[in-house]
Amino acid sequence: QVQLVESGGGSVQAGGSLTVSCVVSGDTYYSYCMAWFRQAPGKEREEVASMQADGRTKYSDSAKGRFTISQDSAKMTLYLQMNSLKPEDTAMYYCAATNYRCGYGSFLSWGQGTQVNVSS
C-alpha cells in the first residue's frame, strides 16, 4: 500500500492557474496508476485525470486541454497543473493510487484531499 498526502490547494480567480501536489510514500508497486479526483458539495466524485507509470495519461472532458497531470519520480510526487480555471472547478481534490492499470480496477489508496476554490 501507499500513503498519499495532497497539498497546494487554495483560492484562485477564474482564468488563473494552480498546481496541487500529492506526495507518495510506501510501496510504489501500488501506484502503477495514479489519478486525481474531485468532488464538490452535492456533486458526484469525478475522475479528473490519471497517469500510469508508463506515461499514459487520461483526462476528463472538463479537464482536457486545461489540466496536466505529471509526476516527479525522484520526489515521489504527483502533480495536477490546472490552467484556465473556472468556478465549476471548485472542489476538494483527491489523489488516488492502485497497482492496476488505469481503467481496469478500483483505487486502493486515497489521500485526504486538498480544497481548491475558484472565484468568479
Side-chain angles (χ1 to χ4, degrees):
Q1 294 297 120
V2 294
Q3 294 75 51
L4 309 173
V5 180
E6 301 97 332
S7 63
S11 298
V12 63
Q13 294 182 353
S17 299
L18 191 68
T19 298
V20 290
S21 303
C22 175
V23 177
V24 183
S25 62
D27 192 342
T28 57
Y29 169 82
Y30 294 99
S31 61
Y32 185 82
C33 174
M34 297 198 68
W36 285 99
F37 289 79
R38 68 185 182 188
Q39 187 168 26
K43 304 292 184 180
E44 296 296 318
R45 187 181 65 193
E46 173 191 19
E47 182 174 325
V48 178
S50 65
M51 184 175 195
Q52 294 184 163
D54 62 6
R56 173 188 176 277
T57 59
K58 183 179 180 180
Y59 297 91
S60 67
D61 289 340
S62 63
K64 194 174 302 180
R66 299 188 299 126
F67 294 4
T68 302
I69 187 171
S70 63
Q71 61 184 9
D72 185 330
S73 58
K75 296 182 177 180
M76 297 183 68
T77 303
L78 182 75
Y79 302 95
L80 183 66
Q81 174 68 45
M82 300 179 285
N83 299 319
S84 301
L85 283 163
K86 306 173 181 179
E88 50 263 45
D89 294 318
T90 295
M92 183 73 76
Y93 283 72
Y94 301 88
C95 66
T98 184
N99 60 311
Y100 294 108
R101 290 176 173 81
C102 295
Y104 290 91
S106 60
F107 288 88
L108 303 177
S109 302
W110 293 83
Q112 84 290 345
T114 186
Q115 181 69 37
V116 173
N117 295 307
V118 184
S119 61
S120 58

